[in-house]
Amino acid sequence: MQNPTLSTTTTYLTCSTCHTNLCFTSSVISKGFTGRHGRAYLVSSLLPTNIIHGKPTSRALQTGAHTVSDISCKICGSNLGWKYIYAEERAQRYKVGKYILETGRVRKVNYWDGRVGDGLDEHGRRKGEKKGNGNGKVGWEPGWEDLGDDDGDGEGVEVDLADEEELEAMFAGNWNKDKALRRRERRRLAEEARRKVDSNV
Ligand SMILES: [Zn+2]
């Protein structure tokens, strides 16, 4: 579908409010983290000129006590997430120096040879339109946010980088294929049950 003669495609996450570039999507380490407003990305680096850092503060997160610095967009001031400054627990220290970006506060934008993509597919529809319901995902390429999901065949099982718990287990050195598969199966069943409930509404 993509024109092979266009060689330089750059993809950014931008501020969903003012569209300032925040980071390259290649800086996204995991898409399975949790922010204050729902799902979030763990990102290795941001474009420093477009970010304002708040004062470091202690915060009790789901995964224990951390020192974090809130980050916001330099242009419009929107809160975007935080930077991990320090983690009390050794197993959490891999996150130090990295960033949380709330998925609801950012948007993915493609540039082709320096030109902003129009976000339309070959039928002229806005990409990901079915998912677009004001949750910040309008214009996303369908499936991009699901890249890390297991394909379910059980062969060549690798760490699911989209899953916060598996990522933590990996950094702590106790990730284990069987445990991961059991966990994914439980998650799949829970997901199925939730879908059934949803479709009855
Ligand atoms: Zn902004």
Side-chain angles (χ1 to χ4, degrees), residues 2-9 112-113 115:
Q2 283 198 354
N3 187 336
T5 62
L6 296 178
S7 52
T8 54
T9 303
W112 286 282
D113 290 334
R115 189 172 57 85

Side-chain angles (χ1 to χ4, degrees), residues 42-181:
L42 184 70
V43 178
S44 59
S45 62
L46 297 176
L47 301 171
T49 50
N50 295 343
I51 302 293
I52 295 174
H53 291 81
K55 267 222 296 244
T57 51
S58 302
R59 195 166 295 158
L61 303 174
Q62 274 179 23
T63 47
H66 291 72
T67 303
V68 301
S69 164
D70 283 328
I71 54 172
S72 47
C73 172
K74 192 165 190 172
I75 307 304
C76 72
S78 288
N79 178 268
L80 302 168
W82 61 78
K83 180 181 186 177
Y84 288 103
I85 308 291
Y86 178 75
E88 205 69 56
E89 289 176 41
R90 205 170 281 277
Q92 303 299 323
R93 299 219 174 126
Y94 70 92
K95 295 184 289 193
V96 170
K98 300 182 176 67
Y99 302 84
I100 283 290
L101 281 181
E102 308 266 0
T103 57
R105 301 295 172 88
V106 298
R107 192 160 295 193
K108 183 175 167 248
V109 174
N110 297 309
Y111 289 79
W112 286 282
D113 290 334
R115 189 172 57 85
V116 182
D118 59 11
L120 300 180
D121 65 14
E122 70 271 29
H123 307 294
R125 282 191 304 249
R126 197 149 284 281
K127 282 178 182 172
E129 194 154 52
K130 272 171 280 179
K131 291 179 180 174
N133 53 8
N135 62 2
K137 285 186 181 171
V138 176
W140 283 50
E141 285 173 14
W144 184 81
E145 65 268 41
D146 300 323
L147 278 181
D149 283 1
D150 180 48
D151 58 9
D153 64 7
E155 292 294 319
V157 180
E158 288 177 17
V159 176
D160 181 357
L161 294 177
D163 186 287
E164 184 168 358
E165 281 185 42
E166 284 195 29
L167 204 65
E168 277 163 16
M170 177 183 78
F171 279 101
N174 55 23
W175 185 84
N176 159 313
K177 175 181 152 184
D178 295 332
K179 223 164 78 180
L181 283 176

